Amino acid sequence: MSFFALKVVALLSMLWDHATYVWPLDLPFAADYIGRIAAPIFLFSIANGYWHTRNLKRYALRLLIFACLAEYPYYLLFGFHGSIMFTLLLGLLTLKLMDWGNGKRAGLGYLLAAGVVIAAEHFALAEGKGRYILFILAFYLTDHWPVRKKALLWLFLMPLSRYRLIWMFFSEQFTWRWFHMLCINALGPLLGVAFTFCYNGKRGLAFPGDKYLWYVFYPAHLLLLGLVNAKIQGLW
């Protein structure tokens, strides 16, 4: 599966997730898995982009510009700030910080990256908080691992990152609500991770300005859905 195909899957998944937020569907909860595929692919794209970018500063600036452009549409739709675009930018900068630190002293970069993960988790800086930064690091550090080894890591890492669900299990015991949340927030994203295992290292379909399509689509669809949702809610 090419990088272009992966991004198409991620965009369709994201569009489904956000559209069903505006128009909830009376479907089995398994349908919610579709909307959880997107995030791991976007996080993977940052690790992959870091490997292949020719100009890190330009890449980071592009993320910053579109993160700012998406902030009002994100707030309009969801009612709070901190879209995943800021998470992707922070993840990219964390990769650079890690490599810089390790270049200064062995292991220093890992400590610095761990500090960013903890800070992002504690202060809830953006969508996904520290665990999404951790996932970007995991994608980057395991890039050349065999698929079987990566699968074992993610089968452990993804549920562990949902530590609140583990606490919920011990505090509430087994309930349908707990199982429902586990399936959507742990098993669902694993489907997205599985898609990244199909990446063949090729760019895939390309056309003039194709890189900007993905950036423009994010704030544009949020703005459209946000306006529709405001109309439905009678806010204007």
Side-chain angles (χ1 to χ4, degrees):
M1 179 178 285
S2 69
F3 194 54
F4 179 87
L6 272 178
K7 289 191 288 187
V8 169
V9 170
L11 286 184
L12 292 176
S13 168
M14 178 180 66
L15 182 59
W16 169 275
D17 189 45
H18 295 168
T20 53
Y21 177 84
V22 177
W23 297 288
L25 300 177
D26 186 17
L27 292 173
F29 73 86
D32 293 332
Y33 292 172
I34 298 174
R36 296 299 185 269
I37 292 172
I41 298 177
F42 286 131
L43 301 176
F44 168 81
S45 71
I46 291 298
N48 186 68
Y50 182 74
W51 275 114
H52 296 100
T53 187
R54 297 177 181 177
N55 191 320
L56 183 65
K57 291 182 179 179
R58 187 177 299 174
Y59 187 16
L61 179 61
R62 187 163 60 243
L63 282 170
L64 176 60
I65 290 172
F66 282 94
C68 292
L69 290 175
E71 194 59 12
Y72 172 70
Y74 186 83
Y75 178 81
L76 180 65
L77 180 59
F78 297 112
F80 51 88
H81 294 284
S83 79
I84 195 173
M85 291 291 286
F86 283 110
T87 310
L88 300 180
L89 173 61
L90 183 57
L92 180 70
L93 296 178
T94 303
L95 291 177
K96 178 60 177 178
L97 178 66
M98 181 179 66
D99 282 348
W100 175 85
N102 284 337
K104 294 294 183 180
R105 179 176 298 179
L108 175 61
Y110 299 127
L111 290 175
L112 294 174
V116 174
V117 170
I118 294 170
E121 184 69 22
H122 177 73
F123 294 107
L125 298 178
E127 183 176 333
K129 298 187 287 187
R131 66 175 178 271
Y132 275 13
I133 308 299
L134 178 62
F135 292 168
I136 291 174
L137 292 168
F139 278 124
Y140 177 72
L141 293 171
T142 64
D143 180 67
H144 296 94
W145 285 17
V147 170
R148 185 174 300 179
K149 188 176 179 181
K150 287 193 287 188
L152 290 175
L153 171 67
W154 284 101
L155 285 172
F156 170 78
L157 183 61
M158 187 65 73
L160 183 62
S161 70
R162 309 294 176 170
Y163 59 89
R164 291 184 178 178
L165 289 175
I166 297 175
W167 173 253
M168 186 188 298
F169 173 74
F170 286 106
S171 61
E172 299 181 11
Q173 300 303 316
F174 183 86
T175 63
W176 174 252
R177 176 172 175 266
W178 175 83
F179 182 70
H180 174 79
M181 294 296 294
L182 177 66
C183 289
I184 292 176
N185 293 294
L187 299 184
L190 283 174
L191 296 176
V193 174
F195 270 100
T196 69
F197 295 162
C198 301
Y199 176 52
N200 58 16
K202 298 180 180 180
R203 182 181 179 184
L205 181 65
F207 48 86
D210 64 330
K211 69 170 64 175
Y212 292 100
L213 172 64
W214 319 108
Y215 293 98
V216 172
F217 181 86
Y218 185 73
H221 92 282
L222 287 176
L223 180 60
L224 177 60
L225 290 175
L227 291 173
V228 170
N229 190 54
K231 182 67 174 179
I232 292 174
Q233 300 297 326
L235 300 179
W236 63 278

